[in-house]
Amino acid sequence: MNEKLRKLLEEIQNKKAQVKSLADEGKIEEAKAAKEELKTLQDKFDLLKDIEDPEGDGTIPPAQNTAPVNPKDSTKEFANAARTGFKNTMTEGVQADGGYTVPEDIQTRVNEYRDAKASLIEEVDVEIVSTNKGSRTFKKRAQQTGFQKVAEGGKIGPKVTPQFERMSYEIDKYAGYLPVTNELLADTDANITGTLVNWLGDESRVTRNNIILAVAATKEKTAISGLDDIKKVLNVTLGQAFKATSKIITNDDGLQWLDTLKNEKGEYLLQPDPANPMKMRICAGATIIPVKVIPNQDLKSDTSTAGHRKIPFLIGDLKEGIKFFDRNQMSIMTSNIAAIGNLNAFEEDLTIFRAIEREDCKVKDSAAFVYGELDLAEAAPTAK
């Protein structure tokens, strides 16, 4: 590589550091401008390298030997990065910046895998954010009383102006690690990618479920003893503002209870949705409400009281009720010499992968959903 290209690489690395520094300081507009300069430098480097050093040895081959540039294979890129410890080296000799951003098509596969199992992220209002903290403004809900009748020549009275409130967010970091044998890293690209994407996707899904459920659980529990209580929640507590967009979210225990409900004709009330037979809904008189089931291992029933199983029922419109702030960044790093707990990567010939993502979650409108709880008495186990 000639001196001109080496100097250009140094400028690129310095500009990357500047973009990262400005972003960390919250100077977003300046960071965006610096990023555009970085793109220009990178384009310049790519053009000059193709002309002045296409083979990396400082020579220029004849024009007829110039091969077209192959499109980037993100699966191979991801697998190769895994094998080399996610060194984010754009070119030979350039040090990594400390992390590896999941390629776009791999990120898409992670998201698809996350949604393949029971996920609550699609039920809530998700906003992609680019800063670590911020706030959003909402108009408070108020009971409007209308205008007052005024006699001719009479004074017009004042009305209460709209009131507003702010919801703040602050991104938190969530992380975990996965030990992988170095034999697996020597396997095919597809196997490496599949293993890591499955793990990343499922861990991310469970993490987000836990965050959303923890926020939902901050609401006071509403006791439910039967279907009539659910109908009252829909008709009265939530009312017409949310009834049309509401659904019931429960676990396997709740599904079992709902699946045993019958009308006076002995017909089961839980039925498949004609428009989508894979989805379920409760049909009881004028009430028709979709039902979504989250496995018991993700949405647990409360069995802390002996002889009782308290089954959760999230009823309402969670897109209006809960807001999820997604920093939309997943980074992964590896080490083949780290020691974590009882694991020693060097001694056991392992590579330890660490994944990090950042998000926050808040109650957006507490009137949009109810956290119901059905208390079922359980029979005591029979002595043997």
Side-chain angles (χ1 to χ4, degrees), residues 118 120 213 248-259 270 280 291-303 309-315 371-374 376 378:
L120 286 169
L213 290 172
I248 296 172
I249 298 175
T250 187
N251 60 8
D252 296 325
D253 294 329
L255 171 63
Q256 171 60 22
W257 180 76
L258 290 173
D259 206 19
L270 187 64
M280 296 172 289
V291 176
K292 177 166 183 170
V293 180
I294 304 294
N296 277 356
Q297 59 263 34
D298 291 332
L299 180 55
K300 297 178 173 61
S301 297
D302 182 0
T303 57
R309 179 176 294 271
K310 297 179 180 179
I311 303 172
F313 281 84
L314 284 169
I315 308 171
Y371 197 116
E373 198 170 58
L374 176 68
L376 290 183
E378 294 186 315

Side-chain angles (χ1 to χ4, degrees), residues 87-291:
K87 293 291 193 293
N88 192 10
T89 52
M90 291 190 307
T91 57
E92 183 180 355
V94 181
Q95 185 66 25
D97 62 359
Y100 182 88
T101 302
V102 182
E104 183 176 351
D105 71 337
I106 299 296
Q107 179 69 55
T108 300
R109 259 179 274 171
V110 169
N111 289 333
E112 288 175 352
Y113 188 83
R114 177 167 58 209
D115 293 339
K117 294 188 178 182
S119 175
L120 286 169
I121 197 68
E122 63 193 35
E123 304 297 334
V124 302
D125 179 19
V126 179
E127 180 179 346
I128 305 300
V129 296
S130 58
T131 57
N132 285 337
K133 61 176 64 176
S135 60
R136 299 291 181 267
T137 302
F138 297 91
K139 186 172 78 71
K140 289 183 178 180
R141 180 179 290 105
Q143 183 63 46
Q144 293 177 270
T145 58
F147 296 122
Q148 300 296 318
K149 182 178 180 180
V150 180
E152 184 176 352
K155 291 185 177 181
I156 300 175
K159 295 298 297 181
V160 177
T161 58
Q163 302 295 304
F164 298 89
E165 58 187 351
R166 295 179 70 82
M167 176 175 64
S168 298
Y169 72 87
E170 184 167 356
I171 298 297
D172 292 317
K173 179 170 69 175
Y174 298 85
Y177 67 86
L178 169 70
V180 176
T181 64
N182 286 330
E183 285 82 359
L184 175 63
L185 294 183
D187 210 338
T188 64
D189 293 349
N191 284 352
I192 294 173
T193 303
T195 297
L196 296 179
V197 165
N198 287 355
W199 179 76
L200 291 170
D202 212 24
E203 285 297 309
S204 179
R205 176 188 66 83
V206 173
T207 298
R208 292 175 174 221
N209 280 354
N210 290 342
I211 294 170
I212 293 168
L213 290 172
V215 170
T218 59
K219 285 207 64 174
E220 184 179 355
K221 305 293 191 302
T222 298
I224 292 173
S225 60
L227 182 60
D228 286 347
D229 287 338
I230 293 178
K231 295 176 72 171
K232 182 178 179 181
V233 166
L234 292 166
N235 294 333
V236 180
T237 308
L238 298 175
Q240 299 310 302
F242 302 110
K243 183 178 178 180
T245 55
S246 290
K247 66 173 57 175
I248 296 172
I249 298 175
T250 187
N251 60 8
D252 296 325
D253 294 329
L255 171 63
Q256 171 60 22
W257 180 76
L258 290 173
D259 206 19
T260 61
L261 299 178
K262 299 179 182 179
N263 61 19
E264 63 277 2
K265 298 179 181 179
E267 299 169 335
Y268 287 107
L269 301 180
L270 187 64
Q271 302 173 6
D273 186 341
N276 188 345
M278 297 302 293
K279 295 184 177 180
M280 296 172 289
R281 61 182 190 172
I282 282 286
C283 301
T287 299
I288 299 177
I289 181 78
V291 176

Side-chain angles (χ1 to χ4, degrees), residues 1-2 48-62:
M1 184 181 295
N2 62 34
L48 291 177
K49 189 174 189 307
D50 286 343
I51 296 171
E52 299 192 15
D53 195 14
E55 300 298 329
D57 59 2
T59 63
I60 304 175

Side-chain angles (χ1 to χ4, degrees), residues 23-43:
D24 289 342
E25 293 172 8
K27 300 176 180 178
I28 303 304
E29 294 304 320
E30 295 177 37
K32 288 180 179 178
K35 184 178 179 182
E36 292 302 317
E37 295 174 8
L38 173 61
K39 290 179 181 178
T40 301
L41 288 171
Q42 183 63 60
D43 290 342

